[in-house]
Amino acid sequence: MATIRFTSHLVRHRPAPMIEAMGPTLAEVLAAAFADDPLLRGYVLDEQGRLRKHVNIYLDGELIADRLRLSDPVAAGAEIYVLQALSGG
Amino acid sequence: MATLWVGTRKGLFRYDQGAADQSHTDQGRTWAQVGKPAFLAAPVTFVLDDPRDGALFVALSHGHFGCKLHRSEDRGASWVELPAPAFPLSDAPDAPALELIWSIVPGGADQPGVLWAGTIPGGCSGQTTAAQAGRSAPGCGTGQSAPAGWAAAMITPAFTRFWLIRETAPM
């Protein structure tokens, strides 16, 4: 079971409690996590299922590699953090 | 009493014309801000005060979290998020995705419950339920799950710049 946590910034817009979900890849874990609130999905992914440009996901401490298909493998007990990206100048 | 809704890059503000002046001759000096702003600090890209039923619609463009659409049936006291417009699912890495809602207008007299929205990228849409399939616009797809009574329509790219949302059940 992987654990997914969201930032307080996202929670300001949409309730996003800590979620536990299972799946072999990040895409599947997130799909399970968003099953109860499809609108939450739209804050993290666009309608094509790609990670939003200004959102980052850390999987066990590492930035994920595949932002398009979210194919990064997820180990049992993985810790996933969904963060807004800090960019701009 | 007249109400003015002001969408800004920092939220939605409400101004009411004070009851003290009914003559409209004071150059607006009796307009006063009412209540707390909604969507504080979020860029509001469009506000529609629907003359058909008084519903309010607000389009947002969150810097990190994308475009959102919200509706109020109680003049801004509470808001419900609606599914945002969505382009058809595609495997193409550069498949279009909604970037901005820059306009929302009510449908015509023969389109109760329909909103038309201008979007970037441009798209044309249709509504979603079987009950309304006979009345749907050409080239329309199916929608996402939605709060009771509402369904988002999918967008057909490169057709027009409009998208619509339609009531799917009596409110």
Side-chain angles (χ1 to χ4, degrees), chain B residues 12 40 44-45 61 67 72 83 86 90 107 125 134-135 159 161:
Chain B
L12 176 69
L40 188 62
V44 176
T45 59
S61 179
C67 292
S72 174
S90 166
S125 69
R135 298 178 58 187
F159 188 72
R161 58 170 64 104

Side-chain angles (χ1 to χ4, degrees), chain B residues 49-150:
Chain B
D49 187 347
D50 194 329
R52 298 171 297 186
D53 60 0
L56 296 168
F57 294 88
V58 162
L60 304 178
S61 179
H62 291 302
H64 296 97
F65 305 121
C67 292
K68 309 299 171 193
L69 186 66
H70 295 256
R71 179 175 190 246
S72 174
E73 294 184 282
D74 53 14
R75 306 302 290 164
S78 64
W79 295 89
V80 174
E81 184 178 343
L82 304 174
F87 281 85
L89 194 58
S90 166
D91 284 337
D94 59 351
L98 181 69
E99 296 172 20
L100 193 72
I101 301 169
W102 51 265
S103 179
I104 311 172
V105 296
D110 60 340
Q111 299 174 314
V114 171
L115 294 181
W116 293 89
T119 60
I120 297 176
C124 173
S125 69
Q127 60 284 353
T128 59
T129 64
Q132 292 173 335
R135 298 178 58 187
S136 61
C140 300
T142 57
Q144 308 170 321
S145 61
W150 287 85

Side-chain angles (χ1 to χ4, degrees), chain A residues 7 9-10 12-14 38-39 42-44 46-50 52 54-55 68-69 84-85, chain B residues 40 62-66 68 81 83 86-98 145:
Chain A
T7 61
H9 186 52
L10 195 158
R12 281 182 56 227
H13 304 300
R14 190 83 197 161
L39 290 177
Y43 285 77
V44 180
D46 68 19
E47 62 262 46
Q48 304 295 349
R50 302 171 298 213
R52 287 198 175 279
H54 299 300
V55 174
L68 284 182
R69 297 176 184 278
Q84 56 274 16
Chain B
L40 188 62
H62 291 302
H64 296 97
F65 305 121
K68 309 299 171 193
E81 184 178 343
F87 281 85
L89 194 58
S90 166
D91 284 337
D94 59 351
L98 181 69
S145 61

